[in-house]
Short mmCIF file of all heavy atoms in Angstrom, two decimals:
data_model
loop_
_atom_site.label_atom_id
_atom_site.label_comp_id
_atom_site.label_asym_id
_atom_site.label_seq_id
_atom_site.Cartn_x
_atom_site.Cartn_y
_atom_site.Cartn_z
N SER A 1 1.32 25.60 -0.77
CA SER A 1 1.31 24.86 -2.03
C SER A 1 1.64 25.79 -3.19
O SER A 1 2.31 25.38 -4.14
CB SER A 1 -0.06 24.20 -2.26
OG SER A 1 -0.28 23.20 -1.29
N MET A 2 1.18 27.04 -3.09
CA MET A 2 1.53 28.02 -4.12
C MET A 2 3.04 28.23 -4.17
O MET A 2 3.64 28.24 -5.23
CB MET A 2 0.82 29.34 -3.86
CG MET A 2 -0.68 29.29 -4.09
SD MET A 2 -1.51 30.82 -3.62
CE MET A 2 -1.02 31.90 -4.97
N TYR A 3 3.65 28.37 -2.99
CA TYR A 3 5.10 28.55 -2.91
C TYR A 3 5.81 27.35 -3.54
O TYR A 3 6.73 27.51 -4.34
CB TYR A 3 5.53 28.74 -1.46
CG TYR A 3 7.02 28.73 -1.28
CD1 TYR A 3 7.78 29.86 -1.57
CD2 TYR A 3 7.68 27.58 -0.86
CE1 TYR A 3 9.15 29.85 -1.43
CE2 TYR A 3 9.05 27.56 -0.72
CZ TYR A 3 9.78 28.69 -1.00
OH TYR A 3 11.14 28.68 -0.87
N LEU A 4 5.37 26.16 -3.17
CA LEU A 4 6.00 24.95 -3.70
C LEU A 4 5.84 24.85 -5.21
O LEU A 4 6.80 24.53 -5.92
CB LEU A 4 5.40 23.71 -3.02
CG LEU A 4 5.93 22.36 -3.51
CD1 LEU A 4 7.44 22.26 -3.33
CD2 LEU A 4 5.23 21.23 -2.78
N LEU A 5 4.66 25.16 -5.71
CA LEU A 5 4.45 25.10 -7.16
C LEU A 5 5.34 26.10 -7.89
O LEU A 5 5.93 25.79 -8.92
CB LEU A 5 2.97 25.36 -7.49
CG LEU A 5 2.59 25.23 -8.96
CD1 LEU A 5 2.87 23.82 -9.48
CD2 LEU A 5 1.13 25.59 -9.16
N ALA A 6 5.48 27.30 -7.33
CA ALA A 6 6.37 28.30 -7.93
C ALA A 6 7.80 27.78 -7.97
O ALA A 6 8.50 27.93 -8.98
CB ALA A 6 6.29 29.62 -7.15
N TYR A 7 8.24 27.15 -6.89
CA TYR A 7 9.59 26.57 -6.82
C TYR A 7 9.77 25.52 -7.92
O TYR A 7 10.82 25.47 -8.58
CB TYR A 7 9.82 25.97 -5.44
CG TYR A 7 11.17 25.33 -5.29
CD1 TYR A 7 12.28 26.10 -4.94
CD2 TYR A 7 11.35 23.98 -5.50
CE1 TYR A 7 13.53 25.52 -4.82
CE2 TYR A 7 12.60 23.40 -5.38
CZ TYR A 7 13.69 24.16 -5.04
OH TYR A 7 14.93 23.59 -4.93
N LEU A 8 8.76 24.68 -8.10
CA LEU A 8 8.85 23.64 -9.13
C LEU A 8 8.96 24.25 -10.52
O LEU A 8 9.77 23.79 -11.34
CB LEU A 8 7.64 22.71 -9.04
CG LEU A 8 7.51 21.89 -7.75
CD1 LEU A 8 6.22 21.11 -7.74
CD2 LEU A 8 8.71 20.98 -7.54
N TYR A 9 8.17 25.29 -10.80
CA TYR A 9 8.27 25.98 -12.09
C TYR A 9 9.63 26.65 -12.25
O TYR A 9 10.23 26.62 -13.32
CB TYR A 9 7.17 27.03 -12.25
CG TYR A 9 5.86 26.49 -12.75
CD1 TYR A 9 4.71 26.59 -11.98
CD2 TYR A 9 5.75 25.91 -14.01
CE1 TYR A 9 3.50 26.10 -12.44
CE2 TYR A 9 4.54 25.42 -14.47
CZ TYR A 9 3.42 25.52 -13.69
OH TYR A 9 2.23 25.04 -14.15
N GLU A 10 10.10 27.29 -11.20
CA GLU A 10 11.39 27.99 -11.27
C GLU A 10 12.52 27.04 -11.63
O GLU A 10 13.41 27.38 -12.40
CB GLU A 10 11.69 28.67 -9.94
CG GLU A 10 13.02 29.37 -9.93
CD GLU A 10 13.40 29.96 -8.58
OE1 GLU A 10 12.59 29.94 -7.64
OE2 GLU A 10 14.54 30.44 -8.48
N ASN A 11 12.46 25.84 -11.08
CA ASN A 11 13.57 24.90 -11.25
C ASN A 11 13.30 23.79 -12.26
O ASN A 11 14.17 22.95 -12.48
CB ASN A 11 13.92 24.31 -9.88
CG ASN A 11 14.47 25.37 -8.97
OD1 ASN A 11 15.60 25.80 -9.13
ND2 ASN A 11 13.66 25.85 -8.04
N GLY A 12 12.11 23.78 -12.84
CA GLY A 12 11.80 22.74 -13.83
C GLY A 12 11.74 21.36 -13.23
O GLY A 12 12.17 20.40 -13.86
N LEU A 13 11.20 21.25 -12.05
CA LEU A 13 11.10 19.95 -11.37
C LEU A 13 9.68 19.40 -11.52
O LEU A 13 8.72 19.96 -11.01
CB LEU A 13 11.43 20.10 -9.88
CG LEU A 13 12.83 20.62 -9.57
CD1 LEU A 13 12.98 20.94 -8.10
CD2 LEU A 13 13.88 19.62 -10.02
N GLY A 14 9.56 18.32 -12.28
CA GLY A 14 8.26 17.71 -12.50
C GLY A 14 7.40 18.47 -13.50
O GLY A 14 6.25 18.11 -13.74
N THR A 15 7.94 19.52 -14.05
CA THR A 15 7.23 20.35 -15.02
C THR A 15 8.28 21.06 -15.87
O THR A 15 9.46 21.07 -15.52
CB THR A 15 6.31 21.37 -14.32
OG1 THR A 15 5.53 22.05 -15.30
CG2 THR A 15 7.08 22.36 -13.49
N GLU A 16 7.83 21.66 -16.94
CA GLU A 16 8.76 22.45 -17.74
C GLU A 16 9.14 23.72 -16.98
O GLU A 16 8.29 24.33 -16.32
CB GLU A 16 8.10 22.82 -19.08
CG GLU A 16 9.08 23.38 -20.08
CD GLU A 16 8.48 23.44 -21.47
OE1 GLU A 16 7.74 22.52 -21.85
OE2 GLU A 16 8.78 24.43 -22.16
N LYS A 17 10.40 24.09 -17.06
CA LYS A 17 10.86 25.31 -16.39
C LYS A 17 10.14 26.51 -16.99
O LYS A 17 10.10 26.68 -18.20
CB LYS A 17 12.37 25.45 -16.57
CG LYS A 17 13.01 26.50 -15.73
CD LYS A 17 14.52 26.42 -15.87
CE LYS A 17 15.19 27.28 -14.84
NZ LYS A 17 16.64 27.08 -14.83
N ASP A 18 9.56 27.35 -16.11
CA ASP A 18 8.81 28.52 -16.57
C ASP A 18 9.00 29.63 -15.53
O ASP A 18 8.26 29.72 -14.55
CB ASP A 18 7.32 28.17 -16.73
CG ASP A 18 6.51 29.28 -17.37
OD1 ASP A 18 6.91 30.46 -17.28
OD2 ASP A 18 5.45 28.96 -17.94
N ILE A 19 10.00 30.46 -15.77
CA ILE A 19 10.35 31.53 -14.84
C ILE A 19 9.20 32.52 -14.68
O ILE A 19 8.89 32.95 -13.57
CB ILE A 19 11.63 32.27 -15.30
CG1 ILE A 19 12.81 31.30 -15.40
CG2 ILE A 19 11.96 33.44 -14.38
CD1 ILE A 19 13.17 30.58 -14.14
N ASP A 20 8.54 32.86 -15.77
CA ASP A 20 7.42 33.81 -15.69
C ASP A 20 6.30 33.28 -14.80
O ASP A 20 5.74 34.01 -13.98
CB ASP A 20 6.88 34.14 -17.08
CG ASP A 20 7.87 34.94 -17.91
OD1 ASP A 20 8.62 35.75 -17.33
OD2 ASP A 20 7.89 34.75 -19.14
N LYS A 21 5.97 32.01 -14.96
CA LYS A 21 4.91 31.40 -14.14
C LYS A 21 5.36 31.35 -12.68
O LYS A 21 4.56 31.61 -11.78
CB LYS A 21 4.58 30.00 -14.67
CG LYS A 21 3.39 29.38 -14.02
CD LYS A 21 2.14 30.06 -14.51
CE LYS A 21 0.92 29.31 -14.03
NZ LYS A 21 -0.31 30.05 -14.28
N ALA A 22 6.61 31.04 -12.45
CA ALA A 22 7.13 30.99 -11.08
C ALA A 22 7.00 32.36 -10.42
O ALA A 22 6.51 32.47 -9.29
CB ALA A 22 8.59 30.53 -11.07
N VAL A 23 7.41 33.40 -11.13
CA VAL A 23 7.33 34.76 -10.57
C VAL A 23 5.88 35.15 -10.33
O VAL A 23 5.55 35.75 -9.30
CB VAL A 23 8.06 35.77 -11.48
CG1 VAL A 23 7.74 37.20 -11.09
CG2 VAL A 23 9.56 35.53 -11.43
N GLU A 24 5.01 34.78 -11.24
CA GLU A 24 3.58 35.08 -11.08
C GLU A 24 3.04 34.44 -9.79
O GLU A 24 2.32 35.09 -9.02
CB GLU A 24 2.82 34.56 -12.30
CG GLU A 24 1.32 34.69 -12.22
CD GLU A 24 0.63 34.01 -13.40
OE1 GLU A 24 1.17 34.04 -14.52
OE2 GLU A 24 -0.45 33.45 -13.18
N ILE A 25 3.37 33.18 -9.57
CA ILE A 25 2.86 32.48 -8.39
C ILE A 25 3.56 32.97 -7.13
O ILE A 25 2.90 33.15 -6.08
CB ILE A 25 3.01 30.95 -8.57
CG1 ILE A 25 2.17 30.48 -9.76
CG2 ILE A 25 2.57 30.22 -7.30
CD1 ILE A 25 2.45 29.05 -10.19
N TYR A 26 4.87 33.19 -7.17
CA TYR A 26 5.56 33.76 -6.01
C TYR A 26 4.92 35.11 -5.63
O TYR A 26 4.71 35.40 -4.46
CB TYR A 26 7.04 34.01 -6.30
CG TYR A 26 7.95 32.82 -6.22
CD1 TYR A 26 8.94 32.63 -7.18
CD2 TYR A 26 7.88 31.89 -5.18
CE1 TYR A 26 9.82 31.57 -7.12
CE2 TYR A 26 8.75 30.82 -5.12
CZ TYR A 26 9.72 30.66 -6.09
OH TYR A 26 10.59 29.60 -6.02
N THR A 27 4.61 35.92 -6.63
CA THR A 27 4.01 37.23 -6.38
C THR A 27 2.64 37.08 -5.73
O THR A 27 2.33 37.76 -4.74
CB THR A 27 3.92 38.05 -7.67
OG1 THR A 27 5.24 38.21 -8.21
CG2 THR A 27 3.32 39.42 -7.42
N ALA A 28 1.82 36.19 -6.26
CA ALA A 28 0.47 35.98 -5.71
C ALA A 28 0.53 35.51 -4.26
O ALA A 28 -0.19 36.02 -3.40
CB ALA A 28 -0.30 34.99 -6.56
N SER A 29 1.41 34.57 -3.97
CA SER A 29 1.50 34.08 -2.59
C SER A 29 2.22 35.08 -1.70
O SER A 29 1.87 35.24 -0.53
CB SER A 29 2.17 32.70 -2.53
OG SER A 29 3.48 32.74 -3.05
N GLY A 30 3.19 35.79 -2.24
CA GLY A 30 3.88 36.82 -1.47
C GLY A 30 2.96 37.94 -1.05
O GLY A 30 3.03 38.43 0.08
N GLU A 31 2.05 38.32 -1.93
CA GLU A 31 1.08 39.37 -1.60
C GLU A 31 0.12 38.93 -0.50
O GLU A 31 -0.49 39.76 0.15
CB GLU A 31 0.31 39.79 -2.85
CG GLU A 31 1.18 40.59 -3.81
CD GLU A 31 0.50 40.92 -5.12
OE1 GLU A 31 -0.63 40.42 -5.37
OE2 GLU A 31 1.10 41.67 -5.91
N LYS A 32 0.04 37.62 -0.29
CA LYS A 32 -0.80 37.09 0.77
C LYS A 32 0.02 36.76 2.02
O LYS A 32 -0.48 36.14 2.95
CB LYS A 32 -1.55 35.86 0.28
CG LYS A 32 -2.57 36.24 -0.78
CD LYS A 32 -3.32 35.07 -1.28
CE LYS A 32 -4.37 35.61 -2.23
NZ LYS A 32 -4.87 34.74 -3.18
N GLY A 33 1.29 37.17 2.01
CA GLY A 33 2.11 37.05 3.20
C GLY A 33 3.05 35.86 3.32
O GLY A 33 3.62 35.63 4.38
N VAL A 34 3.24 35.11 2.25
CA VAL A 34 4.16 33.97 2.31
C VAL A 34 5.59 34.52 2.25
O VAL A 34 6.05 34.97 1.21
CB VAL A 34 3.89 32.94 1.19
CG1 VAL A 34 4.92 31.81 1.25
CG2 VAL A 34 2.48 32.39 1.30
N ARG A 35 6.25 34.49 3.39
CA ARG A 35 7.58 35.09 3.53
C ARG A 35 8.59 34.46 2.58
O ARG A 35 9.43 35.14 1.99
CB ARG A 35 8.03 34.96 4.97
CG ARG A 35 9.27 35.72 5.27
CD ARG A 35 9.46 35.79 6.80
NE ARG A 35 10.62 36.56 7.10
CZ ARG A 35 11.80 36.03 7.42
NH1 ARG A 35 11.94 34.73 7.48
NH2 ARG A 35 12.83 36.80 7.67
N GLY A 36 8.53 33.15 2.42
CA GLY A 36 9.46 32.46 1.51
C GLY A 36 9.33 32.96 0.09
O GLY A 36 10.33 33.10 -0.62
N SER A 37 8.11 33.24 -0.35
CA SER A 37 7.90 33.77 -1.69
C SER A 37 8.49 35.16 -1.83
O SER A 37 9.11 35.50 -2.83
CB SER A 37 6.39 33.82 -2.01
OG SER A 37 5.88 32.52 -2.11
N LEU A 38 8.29 35.99 -0.80
CA LEU A 38 8.85 37.34 -0.82
C LEU A 38 10.37 37.31 -0.87
O LEU A 38 10.99 38.07 -1.62
CB LEU A 38 8.36 38.13 0.39
CG LEU A 38 6.86 38.42 0.42
CD1 LEU A 38 6.44 38.92 1.79
CD2 LEU A 38 6.47 39.39 -0.67
N LEU A 39 10.96 36.42 -0.10
CA LEU A 39 12.43 36.32 -0.10
C LEU A 39 12.94 35.78 -1.43
O LEU A 39 13.99 36.20 -1.92
CB LEU A 39 12.90 35.46 1.06
CG LEU A 39 12.70 36.10 2.44
CD1 LEU A 39 13.03 35.10 3.54
CD2 LEU A 39 13.53 37.37 2.58
N ARG A 40 12.19 34.86 -2.03
CA ARG A 40 12.60 34.34 -3.34
C ARG A 40 12.51 35.45 -4.39
O ARG A 40 13.38 35.57 -5.24
CB ARG A 40 11.73 33.14 -3.72
CG ARG A 40 12.27 32.39 -4.89
CD ARG A 40 13.67 31.82 -4.59
NE ARG A 40 14.40 31.71 -5.84
CZ ARG A 40 15.48 32.43 -6.16
NH1 ARG A 40 16.00 33.28 -5.31
NH2 ARG A 40 16.06 32.27 -7.31
N LEU A 41 11.43 36.25 -4.34
CA LEU A 41 11.31 37.38 -5.27
C LEU A 41 12.45 38.36 -5.07
O LEU A 41 13.00 38.90 -6.04
CB LEU A 41 9.96 38.07 -5.09
CG LEU A 41 8.76 37.29 -5.61
CD1 LEU A 41 7.46 37.88 -5.06
CD2 LEU A 41 8.75 37.24 -7.13
#
């Protein structure tokens, strides 16, 4: 869900586009091993 929320922020889908928030969430989930987040980063 963290990965999905970051994707939504990155692309402005259903929310205002917020690259900083997307990177923050990708980083948090990536540090916990979400491979998709790491690849997106």
